[in-house]
Amino acid sequence: MMTIVLTALQYLGYILIFPGFLFCFVIGMLLCGIDRKIVARMQKRVGPPVLQPFYDFFKLCGKETIIPAAASKTTFLAAPLVGLAALVVLQLFIPIHGFSAFSGMADIIVILYLLLIPAMAAMLGGAASGSPYAGIGLSREMVTIIACELPLVMVLLAVGKVVGGDAVTFSFSKIANYQLANGSLITHASLIPAAIAMLLIIPGETGNHPFDTAEAETEICEGLLAEYSGAPLAVYKLTHCVKVLTLTSFFAALFLGGIGTGIVVVDALILVAICIVLTIVSISFVHAITARLKIEQVFKFYWTIVTGLALISLVLAWYGL
Amino acid sequence: MFKKLIEESTAKSPWLFHINAGSCNGCDIELVSVLTPRYDAERLGFKLTGTPRHADIVVVTGPVTSQSLPRVLRAISQVPEPRCIVTMGSCPQSGNVFRGSYSVAGPLSKYVHVDVDVAGCAPKPEAVIDGLALATQILKEKRAKK
Amino acid sequence: MSFANFLDYHHFPVYSIMVLFLGAFLIVLFGKNKFMRNLLAFLAVSISLACIVALVKPVMLDGEIIAYWMGNRAVAGGYAIGIALEVDALSLFFALLISTAVFVSGIYSLQYMEHDNNVPEYYTLFLMLSGGVIGLVLSGDIFNMFIMVEILTFAAVALTAFRNKAHGALEAAFKYLVVGCIGSTCILVGIIMLYAQAHTLNFAQLSAVIPGNMNNATKLAFALLFVGFGTKAFIVPFHPLAADAHGAAPASISVLISGVLTKSGIYGLIRLTYFLFQTMNLGTFQFLLVFIGSVSMFVCVTMALAQHDFKRLLAFHSISQIGYVLAAVGLCTGLGFSAGLYHAMNHTLFKGLLFLCAGAVLHQTGTTNLDELGGLSKKMPWTTGLFLVGAFSISGLPPFNGFASKWMVYQAAYQKASETGNIGFLFVTLIALVTSVLTLASFVKVSQSVFFGRLPAKYENVKEVKGGMIFAMCLFAILCVVTGLFPSAVTKYLTEPAARAVFSVVNYIDAAMGTGYAASAMGENLPVVASFNFNELGYWSPISWLLILCIALLAVTIVAVSGKYDKVSESSEIADSKYDLFFGGEKSVYSQVGGGDLFWGFKHNWRHYFSFMHDLHSGIVNDYSLWAIVALAIVTLFIQIVL
Amino acid sequence: MIMFNYIASFFLIALGFYTIITKYNLVKTVIGLSIADYGVNLLIISVGYNPGGTAPIYTLGELTSASYFVDPIPQALTLTSIVIGACVTAMSLSLVMKLHESYGTLDTREIRRLRG
């Protein structure tokens, strides 16, 4: 009896503290804060404090939540919560150097689909608000997802092929074990284009510059979030931050596995360091040096250049180079 | 403790919504220059938003023409509480050179409660930042009173 | 003969067909009375379902193959003289999902059709259609299969034209009739050519005789039968018919056309390729199936993105999903079959649900035009919720059933690609995944244009549909969730036995013709089946995921609610500009991005493709017939070359 | 001789299909369907034909290895097929009538509200 309770508590701890909510909340916000600071420094500004996302979050919690008369209340309020919960659950499946809170439950293709749920929640929430700006935002968000999906799939298939050989695999644990035994996959020559493609996918999936057409505040009034205010908006902002963490740690699990000590705390810190570096490289640098693209340019970019990179990787992996 | 946290955060993350009520664009340009590297209001947490639903501070420029008045009032009413209204430049405060024109309905304070007036034509960026900082304090007080 | 004899389960297949035809007949006689008619229809569909369900244990679980000779005219002298019903796990699998769809659609019809004229005729045709399809999948005689195909085609054509005042109903029916008849003619000619070769019409005996005696005539027969059943499955290039027919028919019939008729076509194709001609070890032929499947998947999903009508959009998706089934089945691996059949089942469930939702919208608002509707979620909350279940299922969002089967399809394709070293199968995986996300896109479009967004003023007084219709939709929704949450149970008890049945042709032949017949008739031609496995590449446990999600969601909700998340400002009746939508400060008017204009960024890059496709689907019956003939020519050439 | 039957039946089927594809009149389309159907019927009956065979009627005891008759099954199939062909014609002609009522034309190129 005692052991059951302890096990339950342990898993509850996984969900709520590490690598669940608390970890996601703190690290995700931190990554976004660092991103804003780095971008500011690159533009020769002082920039907001690193804790700025926390301030934004708590401020929004204290604001009034207005439900527009045209909105469907339940969907409008529930969508942000569902999106956040789904994203945090997704984070639980991503292994941290061999440590995986819930191993054997979801493989990389499942992760691909689980990533759609927060986006879907945001889209339904936006659609439920009834705003015409949300309609345009939804359209653009969906096109961005379509754009990212193809190269992302190719990257995953290439990784599965390299790890599994003839017996291709989608399994996370096999990928992790392979990297423990053979070193990080990024050292694998055929996967370098895939890693670059993945780095370019991260800002698209999170909706960061220059792929933030869906939330363009200057042209379509924040798109999907146009009618959100107060706490639901805070949840959306948090979801965005967690998404940055999820995608960077997904990258780490795919390409930078095998770096670690075996002690969970140390590994977590290493993961945080890796995520910070990845955020700076793939989000901040790209943000600072580009202007926002038009939506058809986003689509074209992903389906030509990024897909091309991923395809090179896939073909190389296929022929075992 | 939580309440305190929200109060502190309210002062540290004021988001702006900018309404042009018939301005000559002088103030609009100055407002944008506040966000440029030289003055960098983002270090204080300021951020321009695209929709009144996200805003804390509404910045109104221009003499409030009779065409823009209902739009301005509607947009201001859509800002969630606590909110703070800042007029920028002389126009929304007095009408400036447009005063007395058949098409000017201002000043704005006839219609809504204005929290901060930043005078000048156009105001210097330092003055704008000062006014906005004042507005964040008012915002914090409003939040605390609630 | 005692009464207990009638309840022997060996008789159940014939009961399940008879009771539907009998019901159709009785409704013609007594259908004037509303209560009588509803009772008869309900009894017919439920008894049929009960008979099929009762067969699950002996056939699926114990692996028995029931060969039922009508009038006890069994095999004599090595020749099948009588007419047979033969039920193996594959037949039963299809019969099960068909009778489920028929049952739910029947319940839905009771309230859905109450405002129409000529309802007795509707039920007659409805039951004829159902009986035809169940007869097709349970039949062990190839000419009987043809008869059933004709019955169901006629019933479907008549039902498509049933609301002949509706937009394009007659036109759709006529096109369907013409191309359907070309298909039926092909099937009949193919059957006759086989008969001329083998002098038998029994499916099992044909399966034993034909593969060893292939010549040009049998190859031509193969091509003819393939195209004939292809028209019934509406695969590319026959998909425009499906789109027209679904859009025009009453929603309860659209459920049958998409969930049942296409399945019967797929069933025919499986029987044809893997039993009659035994192409299991023929890589090039697998290529044909997989190619057609992939093309169907992609072409139809892009066509769906361009549609402005709710039901027409669903119709194109229907064929897109059939493409998944065909591609997976064409892979000819254990996992591929299991995945394909699983997806066929899921398709029946979620597409049925979606069509019923479309029917509910049509019933209450009188239109299915995406550009006119909007904001119905406030007026029809149940329908909205159920629609979302269906939409999530079809776009493969976990944990609904569409995900489980699509996930298996990807794995099967990738595994096949890796095993054979053929990079072509790799692109099947890619196309399948891209199709899946495009499917999601078009359902986002539907939810934005119909259920969310702004409510047009003319729909202010729309009400939720009645309980009976909601009940029918709930049945499908529950099945969608259940089959999604227990994928391992579904594969173990339903799809894997059916997949095994495909790989055990010899058992099928022996069950009908007597043990040892296959070995003696086929000699060294006995099909050698490469070992097949159901191993998966990854893992996915929906129950645990859902459990964790629930805990997480609960935690978030508790935190949120304790933080006064639900303390919101809502509009009272008094008009207050605070609760208007933000519209750049203007007074908000009804404005919504039209259904056709969503996803502009995608369509702009593909504009040449879309305009080409639009021109191609010209709507002229001559063109569609030409496609059918050209498809026949190509398939004939292909088969003559590779077989 | 029987070869001629096969050629004729395939010619009929091809002619029927040709009519369906090239003629823009609904009634002609229906005629095309019927022609194809007749071709199929001819094919079926020819398949069962045995040169010099007798009618497939016999009583017990009469059947010897030398007795030689026409295959009866295709004849049964032909009957079915003829019935189905009649149904097709009836059904499609009734649809044509209704179409003419609501569209005011019989030209297939104008009956294309559902497209794209």
Side-chain angles (χ1 to χ4, degrees), chain D residues 49-56 67-71:
Chain D
Y49 177 69
N50 275 334
T54 60
S67 57
Y68 188 57
F69 51 74
V70 182
D71 189 348

Coordinates of all heavy atoms in Angstrom, one line a residue, chain D residues 49-56 67-71:
Chain D
Y49 N -22.4 -21.3 -75.2 CA -22.8 -22.0 -76.5 C -21.9 -23.1 -76.8 O -20.6 -23.0 -76.8 CB -22.9 -21.0 -77.6 CG -23.3 -21.7 -78.9 CD1 -24.6 -22.2 -79.1 CD2 -22.4 -21.7 -80.0 CE1 -24.9 -22.8 -80.3 CE2 -22.7 -22.3 -81.2 CZ -24.0 -22.8 -81.3 OH -24.3 -23.4 -82.5
N50 N -22.4 -24.3 -77.1 CA -21.6 -25.4 -77.6 C -22.1 -25.8 -79.0 O -23.3 -26.1 -79.2 CB -21.8 -26.7 -76.7 CG -20.9 -26.6 -75.5 OD1 -19.8 -26.0 -75.6 ND2 -21.2 -27.3 -74.4
P51 N -21.2 -25.8 -80.0 CA -21.7 -26.1 -81.3 C -22.3 -27.5 -81.4 O -21.7 -28.4 -80.9 CB -20.4 -26.0 -82.2 CG -19.4 -25.2 -81.3 CD -19.8 -25.5 -79.9
G52 N -23.4 -27.6 -81.9 CA -24.1 -28.9 -82.0 C -24.7 -29.4 -80.7 O -25.2 -30.6 -80.7
G53 N -24.7 -28.7 -79.7 CA -25.3 -29.1 -78.4 C -26.8 -29.1 -78.4 O -27.4 -28.4 -79.2
T54 N -27.4 -29.9 -77.6 CA -28.9 -29.9 -77.5 C -29.3 -29.0 -76.4 O -28.5 -28.4 -75.7 CB -29.4 -31.3 -77.2 OG1 -28.8 -31.7 -75.9 CG2 -29.0 -32.3 -78.3
A55 N -30.6 -28.9 -76.2 CA -31.1 -28.1 -75.1 C -30.8 -28.8 -73.8 O -30.8 -30.0 -73.7 CB -32.7 -28.0 -75.3
P56 N -30.5 -28.0 -72.8 CA -30.1 -28.6 -71.5 C -31.3 -29.1 -70.7 O -31.5 -28.7 -69.6 CB -29.4 -27.4 -70.8 CG -30.1 -26.2 -71.4 CD -30.5 -26.5 -72.8
S67 N -23.8 -37.5 -74.0 CA -24.8 -36.5 -74.2 C -24.1 -35.1 -74.0 O -23.2 -34.9 -73.2 CB -25.9 -36.6 -73.1 OG -25.4 -36.6 -71.8
Y68 N -24.6 -34.2 -74.8 CA -23.8 -33.0 -75.1 C -24.8 -31.9 -75.2 O -25.6 -31.8 -76.1 CB -23.1 -33.4 -76.4 CG -22.1 -32.4 -76.8 CD1 -21.0 -32.1 -76.0 CD2 -22.2 -31.8 -78.1 CE1 -20.1 -31.2 -76.4 CE2 -21.2 -30.9 -78.5 CZ -20.2 -30.6 -77.7 OH -19.3 -29.7 -78.1
F69 N -24.7 -30.9 -74.2 CA -25.7 -29.9 -74.4 C -25.1 -28.5 -74.0 O -24.0 -28.4 -73.5 CB -27.0 -30.2 -73.6 CG -26.7 -30.5 -72.1 CD1 -26.3 -29.6 -71.2 CD2 -26.9 -31.8 -71.7 CE1 -26.1 -29.9 -69.9 CE2 -26.6 -32.2 -70.4 CZ -26.3 -31.2 -69.5
V70 N -25.9 -27.5 -74.3 CA -25.5 -26.2 -74.1 C -25.4 -25.9 -72.6 O -26.2 -26.4 -71.9 CB -26.5 -25.2 -74.8 CG1 -26.0 -23.8 -74.6 CG2 -26.6 -25.6 -76.2
D71 N -24.4 -25.1 -72.2 CA -24.3 -24.8 -70.8 C -25.4 -23.9 -70.3 O -25.7 -22.8 -70.9 CB -23.0 -24.0 -70.6 CG -22.6 -23.9 -69.1 OD1 -23.5 -24.1 -68.3 OD2 -21.5 -23.5 -68.8

